Amino acid sequence: MQESYEIIDLKPQASDFRKEVLEGLLSEHKSISPKFFYDRTGSELFEEITKLDEYYPTRAEMEILTDKASEIGKAIGEGVSLTELGSGNGKKSVLLAKALHNPKEAILVDISMDALKDAMKRLMAEISNIPAKAVCADYTAIDVMSSIKMAGKKAIVFLGSTIGNMEPHDQRSFIAGCRKVLSDGETFTIGADLKKNPEVIDRAYNDSKGITAMFNLNLIARINREFGTNIPPDAFRHYAFYNSKEGRVEMHLISTKEQSYDIGGTTVRFRDGESIHTENSYKFSISELEAMLREAGFSETNVWKDSRDLYALITAVA
Ligand SMILES: C[S@@+](CC[C@H](N)C(=O)[O-])C[C@H]1O[C@@H](n2cnc3c(N)ncnc32)[C@H](O)[C@@H]1O
């Protein structure tokens, strides 16, 4: 087991939570960015979600990473520095690092320092022969991608269908941003949830144990913790559905009554039934994903799907 690793803290501003949440709650259509789900409690709840019977994406992606490991390793190539953006618990980085031939280093990037430390512990325990680095950063912030030093041939991976949490325009510019830091022949690997029977999708976001509801409502608990407010647990309820016109799951917190709270010195009013939009999770077809990758400057794509065709992993060559 490796003893230590380099840790680079690019300080994804703690104060942003207060500023951005307040801005979102004061706008006409109230919203909170999904990146704020992942404090320690949120990361733990997400981990619980990934184990639920109804929540298929993690299982499907892990299946691909396990069953197709040697093909994926070959497509990514030898001697690369593997960088996972939004590495979460790090389990997938471990699988990928094991699939690669002679990797030079593994770099995990996450906005949550707690998640990052846990993931690094896992990586250190399971991969003993690769230097590893942890970068605490917001990968959507300007210049973050270019400031991460990657040794040798670069392989960027973006898993968990996190791309689906961005709006279509941002998905394109994010992929283009990743392309920009890659040289010709280097790879970008993306995992994305596919379009399918909406009932399967609906069930995944409305699990019978109510864990996804707790994950969503943790944003209210986080507001209470960070602003010192006292919003009661029944003030909002979880609401998630598949919007087939937009091709996305929408998660909302619905105000259960007319209410107002002092949040950071500002009074925020909620109408009865008013929504705080907390997440979109876009679903894709393979051709949509390939078109986006081509548009960003990737040519060759290698596509793998799980045995139920629920989910896809694509390695694209710059
Ligand atoms: C849905 S989880 C997926 C985790 C992992 N990639 C997987 O597939 O299991 C998203 C992860 O990305 C991180 N994350 C979300 N937005 C981020 C951002 N803007 N910058 C860096 N990390 C972010 C979260 O902290 C969380 O660990």
Side-chain angles (χ1 to χ4, degrees):
M1 179 169 156
Q2 294 183 65
E3 295 297 313
S4 64
Y5 56 87
E6 189 183 349
I7 186 152
I8 298 164
D9 188 357
L10 297 181
K11 302 205 187 308
Q13 320 244 310
S15 58
D16 278 0
F17 177 81
R18 298 172 68 91
K19 183 170 160 279
E20 287 188 38
V21 164
L22 206 51
E23 271 170 15
L25 293 181
L26 292 173
S27 66
E28 191 189 341
H29 299 287
K30 294 184 169 58
S31 66
I32 300 178
S33 164
K35 72 180 172 194
F36 294 124
F37 280 133
Y38 300 94
D39 61 352
R40 178 167 277 287
T41 312
S43 297
E44 284 168 5
L45 285 167
F46 182 73
E47 179 78 17
E48 286 300 302
I49 289 174
T50 64
K51 295 177 194 150
L52 294 167
D53 287 343
E54 299 99 327
Y55 193 80
Y56 60 85
T58 308
R59 222 167 292 120
E61 193 171 49
M62 295 290 274
E63 180 197 312
I64 302 171
L65 289 169
T66 310
D67 292 357
K68 312 287 191 219
S70 82
E71 290 174 33
I72 298 167
K74 215 178 277 166
I76 293 180
E78 266 189 59
V80 298
S81 81
L82 173 74
T83 301
E84 184 180 359
L85 303 174
S87 46
N89 64 19
K91 282 186 188 163
K92 293 173 188 169
S93 312
V94 168
L95 282 179
L96 264 170
K98 284 183 176 168
L100 296 177
H101 274 284
N102 234 348
K104 276 228 154 34
E105 64 175 343
I107 306 172
L108 305 193
V109 182
D110 208 288
I111 199 165
S112 155
M113 184 60 97
D114 291 331
L116 204 51
K117 284 184 176 162
D118 291 348
M120 290 307 287
K121 215 186 278 171
R122 169 167 285 121
L123 193 79
M124 300 277 105
E126 300 217 23
I127 313 270
S128 54
N129 54 341
I130 316 171
K133 200 154 76 184
V135 181
C136 187
D138 178 346
Y139 51 60
T140 60
I142 297 168
D143 291 340
V144 158
M145 291 295 297
S146 51
S147 66
I148 302 171
K149 298 276 169 287
M150 303 174 220
K153 195 175 162 195
K154 299 183 271 303
I156 297 178
V157 300
F158 193 44
L159 305 178
S161 208
T162 309
I163 190 73
N165 298 145
M166 299 176 182
E167 288 306 300
H169 170 267
D170 297 329
Q171 294 165 10
R172 287 186 164 73
S173 50
F174 182 76
I175 295 176
C178 291
R179 171 64 185 90
K180 234 163 84 188
V181 298
L182 296 175
S183 306
D184 289 355
E186 296 179 332
T187 62
F188 177 62
T189 298
I190 187 162
D193 196 10
L194 297 175
K195 287 188 167 135
K196 60 182 70 64
N197 180 346
E199 282 176 22
V200 176
I201 303 179
D202 266 343
R203 270 200 300 277
Y205 292 82
N206 289 287
D207 64 277
S208 53
K209 289 189 181 150
I211 310 287
T212 314
M214 284 165 69
F215 176 72
N216 197 7
L217 284 160
N218 178 50
L219 282 174
I220 300 296
R222 191 168 172 193
I223 288 174
N224 281 342
R225 284 194 294 274
E226 303 210 14
F227 285 97
T229 44
N230 207 1
I231 305 174
D234 60 357
F236 291 88
R237 68 178 172 81
H238 166 72
Y239 177 50
F241 68 101
Y242 184 65
N243 178 337
S244 51
K245 187 168 157 268
E246 301 289 345
R248 68 188 189 204
V249 170
E250 294 186 13
M251 285 223 296
H252 299 258
L253 288 164
I254 306 291
S255 172
T256 55
K257 58 188 170 208
E258 182 152 347
Q259 49 193 336
S260 64
Y261 298 97
D262 178 323
I263 301 181
T266 305
T267 303
V268 183
R269 292 176 210 289
F270 300 90
R271 295 188 307 274
D272 187 7
E274 186 174 7
S275 133
I276 308 172
H277 193 159
T278 52
E279 185 177 70
N280 285 329
S281 183
Y282 283 87
K283 308 300 169 189
F284 304 89
S285 66
I286 304 258
S287 54
E288 283 168 347
L289 291 164
E290 288 186 315
M292 262 198 301
L293 289 162
R294 259 196 316 275
E295 195 186 300
F298 293 96
S299 48
E300 193 188 322
T301 51
N302 303 267
V303 182
W304 300 275
K305 287 194 281 179
D306 65 295
S307 53
R308 296 168 63 202
D309 288 350
L310 298 172
Y311 197 94
L313 190 85
I314 304 185
T315 293
V317 184

